[in-house]
Amino acid sequence: MATTRTAHTVWQGNLAEGKGTVTFDSSGIGEQPVSWPSRAEQANGKTSPEELIAAAHSSCFSMALSHGLTQAGNPPTQLATQAEVTFQPGTGITGIHLTVEGTVEGLDEAAFAAAAEDAKKNCPVSQALAGTEITLSAKLA
């Protein structure tokens, strides 16, 4: 069964001085402010499209890795994933780096790294972002 999730943004003003609010409609978790300075300079308590992509990618990758490990007979105890999305004003998103540390009984570093590479390649968010270079660092705790 397919699912659809929604969010919306209301923007007021021009790019440089304007501001917006992102609302998470499907989950109802609330609203977050956005602005150009929070995207291109310091966050200052506001989110950005890149942070939202990082949240989506880190959670999707963790789910894919957990599933792959479990299917292979090595369910993880814990996976901690960070996604760093780099934005260059005037250029756009220039790369994404995933870092994962896992606690997985009965698995060595090489097998964990291979499972992580597979998850990076096959998680739906990675596939949606295929036009962007995605790199990975993986290690066991």
Side-chain angles (χ1 to χ4, degrees):
M1 177 169 107
T3 59
T4 301
R5 301 292 184 253
T6 61
H8 75 273
T9 300
V10 175
W11 186 266
Q12 300 168 335
N14 65 31
L15 176 62
E17 298 162 4
K19 61 183 178 178
T21 303
V22 175
T23 302
F24 298 90
D25 300 320
S26 299
S27 64
I29 61 173
E31 301 177 338
Q32 292 296 316
V34 295
S35 70
W36 176 254
S38 69
R39 184 178 193 186
E41 299 165 15
Q42 295 299 314
N44 293 322
K46 297 178 178 78
T47 194
S48 68
E50 291 72 30
E51 184 178 35
L52 298 172
I53 290 170
H57 206 175
S58 67
S59 60
C60 183
F61 171 85
S62 294
M63 289 180 203
L65 180 54
S66 176
H67 180 68
L69 290 167
T70 300
Q71 292 295 101
N74 299 96
T77 303
Q78 178 173 299
L79 300 171
T81 304
Q82 178 177 351
E84 299 171 54
V85 178
T86 302
F87 174 73
Q88 177 64 49
T91 302
I93 294 173
T94 58
I96 300 170
H97 184 72
L98 299 169
T99 303
V100 62
E101 182 174 278
T103 304
V104 186
E105 295 297 321
L107 204 63
D108 65 18
E109 289 285 343
F112 182 70
E117 281 292 336
D118 187 65
K120 180 188 86 164
K121 176 182 172 189
N122 293 305
C123 98
V125 172
S126 288
Q127 291 176 349
L129 301 171
T132 302
E133 180 182 10
I134 301 170
T135 57
L136 172 68
S137 299
K139 69 176 185 174
L140 291 170

